[in-house]
Amino acid sequence: MKKFLLQFFTWWNGQTLGTRFHTWRKGERVGEDEFGNIYYQGGTDSEGRTRRWVIYNGLAEASMVPPGWHGWLHQKVDTAPVEENYMPREWQKPHLPNLTGTPAAYRPDGSILTKEDRPRVTGDYDAWTP
């Protein structure tokens, strides 16, 4: 019941009521990824393509979609990763959460949010003047 109420009152917890209804009515389960996200297809979009969507396992965090599923969701490939022996390319990195807005976010030297001083200017830069 608690999970349903979270989904009812918030859009970032799993799925909205509209997504739940559309999934129930037209959704065909295609597969699941290593994070527990479930992928569906069904119906058509405004351009006549088959609609594809994901129901997140937990918070709706787009960076939690692996590269193979990302390509399938965005109509870049027709075959879902579960229908083929998908192997990530060597340059595709494993998931890292989006740390923006957290204490672990990247803050360069000189940022007002760090204790370090701004690096000294080396003199190799000439400011533009009109």
Side-chain angles (χ1 to χ4, degrees):
M1 181 68 169
K2 180 181 176 183
K3 187 174 184 179
F4 175 77
L5 289 174
L6 278 173
Q7 291 177 357
F8 186 81
F9 289 108
T10 60
W11 59 264
W12 58 85
N13 283 297
Q15 59 186 313
T16 62
L17 287 178
T19 302
R20 181 186 291 264
F21 180 72
H22 187 75
T23 302
W24 168 76
R25 199 166 141 241
K26 294 187 178 184
E28 171 193 340
R29 184 183 169 133
V30 175
E32 185 172 334
D33 65 20
E34 63 266 25
F35 303 117
N37 301 325
I38 303 173
Y39 298 86
Y40 293 90
Q41 67 181 4
T44 55
D45 64 10
S46 61
E47 297 177 9
R49 299 177 299 192
T50 302
R51 286 190 65 203
R52 298 173 178 174
W53 66 95
V54 59
I55 295 181
Y56 295 98
N57 179 22
L59 296 179
E61 173 60 55
S63 69
M64 291 288 290
V65 174
W69 283 107
H70 182 271
W72 180 81
L73 277 173
H74 293 278
Q75 308 277 349
K76 302 297 180 196
V77 295
D78 293 329
T79 308
V82 294
E83 296 173 5
E84 64 181 3
N85 191 12
Y86 176 80
M87 296 297 294
R89 312 260 190 213
E90 68 241 9
W91 46 266
Q92 291 175 325
K93 298 184 182 235
H95 174 262
L96 291 175
N98 182 352
L99 300 174
T100 303
T102 69
Y106 173 71
R107 293 181 175 95
D109 292 342
S111 167
I112 61 172
L113 298 175
T114 62
K115 296 177 183 171
E116 292 83 25
D117 290 333
R118 183 169 181 252
R120 294 194 51 81
V121 178
T122 61
D124 63 347
Y125 172 78
D126 293 324
W128 178 80
T129 55

